[in-house]
Amino acid sequence: MAPARRALVLVDVQNDFCEGGSLAVAGGAEVARRISTHVREHHGEYAAVVATADWHEDPGAHFSDAPDFVDSWPAHCRVGTDGALFHPGAEEAFEHVDAVFRKGQHSAAYSGFEGSTVEGDRRLGLAEWLRERRVEEVDVVGIATDHCVRATALDAAREGFATTVLLDLTAGVAPQTTAAALDELAGAGVALTGEPVGA
């Protein structure tokens, strides 16, 4: 029997989520560097490598001048700003990225499965794109463990993909929310390996 086709999903490895960004996560830059190393050493093991990106224009109440850091946040990853660009530490990884799924133009959009990419005259969501390539398993990495990585991995599992989060290639915002996210992921049948950077 042929091995299952597997994809790697790089979640939101963007400047605003790394040190110096408007919504910085401790260890974000280190995660970007580790992802480059992982992709350099393992890209041949994946049928596809894709990336997701926050891509906000006017996401409504998702942005706030007095954020609660649960449902509202400081402005981040605005289209056309340096903060929305992928972190330079991940540059080597992006040499192998097959498609980028942008999300959240007018909404919060934590999950990469809310994003889309354009191929020719078609706009495709992440699940549809993966299925067209007969992908059955996904490894999820990126920022932040307790928010967009969590949401993306949960949706991957709901979509029927065998899902693993490579925690050594993620960074969490806070220990408490990261621990809760890991419990939720495990309860949803998501496999977890390693430990998150930072939180």
Side-chain angles (χ1 to χ4, degrees):
M1 218 170 88
R5 290 173 64 84
R6 188 161 52 125
L8 178 65
V9 182
L10 316 180
V11 177
D12 299 4
V13 190
Q14 293 167 270
N15 287 329
D16 269 346
F17 297 135
C18 297
E19 289 82 351
S22 67
L23 196 50
V25 177
E30 173 63 17
V31 163
R33 287 189 290 271
R34 290 187 186 188
I35 286 173
S36 278
T37 300
H38 180 79
V39 173
R40 181 178 69 243
E41 295 177 353
H42 299 284
H43 68 89
E45 299 167 20
Y46 293 103
V49 180
V50 301
T52 72
D54 263 12
W55 200 243
H56 295 310
E57 285 188 4
D58 181 13
H62 186 57
F63 283 178
S64 174
D65 293 331
D68 62 14
F69 295 94
V70 177
D71 299 309
S72 60
W73 307 86
H76 58 275
C77 299
R78 286 189 183 275
V79 175
T81 67
D82 286 346
L85 300 177
F86 294 113
H87 190 274
E91 185 175 349
E92 188 176 1
F94 276 84
E95 294 174 9
H96 300 281
V97 166
D98 298 298
V100 175
F101 294 81
R102 302 191 189 281
K103 59 190 173 69
Q105 200 169 357
H106 301 289
S107 63
Y110 294 96
S111 169
F113 285 85
E114 297 176 73
S116 63
T117 194
V118 175
E119 290 191 346
D121 59 355
R122 305 169 67 212
R123 182 175 291 278
L124 297 170
L126 178 53
E128 182 181 13
W129 192 95
L130 292 171
R131 287 196 185 103
E132 285 191 357
R133 285 150 185 83
R134 305 190 308 283
V135 168
E136 299 170 20
E137 302 179 356
V138 295
D139 288 350
V140 181
V141 304
I143 308 168
T145 321
D146 37 351
H147 295 284
C148 293
V149 169
R150 166 193 161 275
T152 300
L154 287 173
D155 275 355
R158 287 188 196 107
E159 291 285 352
F161 299 102
T163 305
T164 302
V165 178
L166 308 181
L167 293 172
D168 290 346
L169 305 180
T170 73
V173 172
Q176 185 174 0
T177 50
T178 297
L182 298 188
D183 286 345
E184 185 178 8
L185 288 165
V190 174
L192 305 170
T193 66
E195 295 290 335
V197 178

